[in-house]
Amino acid sequence: MTLISPDHPARISVAEFNQLLQEQHPFASILDIEVMDIGCGTATLRLPERNSHQRLGGIIAGPMLMGLADLALYAAVVGATGNPQAVTASLSINFLRGAPPGGILAHAHIHKIGRLASGDVLLVPEAGGDAVAQVISTWSLPRST
């Protein structure tokens, strides 16, 4: 088990991560998510305002928030390990309140790296205000070949 230190540099840059998504995970472009920052075990991503992200009543749909959180954690895991083969083992989301229309920021933090990585994400409205969801996730880290 390795605890994550934010003092270490990220093992992948934002540009390299975007290239990785384009080449190996093209489905990620469906949500138009912007990768804002990647650190060693941290990442900040942004889900832009789109009518297609909303459900009835004008709130951001839960699957959009889950996709944002999952991608933010993937960025944080790859930022800490450099291993692009990491896969989600579990993801649990707590919806705290309806997400208002507008951009949503995902702040991901990895707390432990080993055979499994674990971390959390806080989803907050870009315009400010209280968190709309909190996510806890575990990732499997296949051995690099």
Side-chain angles (χ1 to χ4, degrees):
M1 174 179 86
T2 303
L3 297 177
I4 302 302
S5 171
D7 298 331
H8 292 116
R11 306 271 312 262
I12 194 167
S13 69
V14 170
E16 292 166 331
F17 186 75
N18 284 329
Q19 186 68 33
L20 171 69
L21 292 179
Q22 190 174 32
E23 292 173 0
Q24 296 184 26
H25 307 287
F27 57 86
S29 66
I30 293 170
L31 297 180
D32 296 325
I33 293 172
E34 176 188 358
V35 180
M36 300 176 70
D37 184 58
I38 297 177
C40 182
T42 64
T44 300
L45 278 65
R46 177 180 171 271
L47 180 71
E49 181 174 11
R50 299 278 188 278
N51 288 339
S52 60
H53 294 160
Q54 296 179 14
R55 57 171 292 212
L56 288 172
I59 63 172
I60 307 297
M64 304 303 152
L65 298 175
M66 287 185 271
L68 172 64
D70 193 52
L71 192 58
L73 281 160
Y74 179 61
V77 167
V78 177
T81 66
N83 186 344
Q85 296 178 6
V87 294
T88 309
S90 69
L91 186 140
S92 175
I93 188 165
N94 296 306
F95 295 105
L96 305 173
R97 59 192 40 80
I104 300 290
L105 298 175
H107 301 289
H109 300 284
I110 301 300
H111 302 289
K112 180 206 93 85
I113 295 286
R115 187 181 63 75
L116 295 175
S118 61
D120 68 284
V121 180
L122 197 60
L123 302 176
V124 296
E126 185 176 28
D130 294 331
V132 297
Q134 185 253 349
V135 175
I136 298 170
S137 186
T138 303
W139 287 70
S140 176
L141 294 163
R143 295 188 195 278
S144 297
T145 54

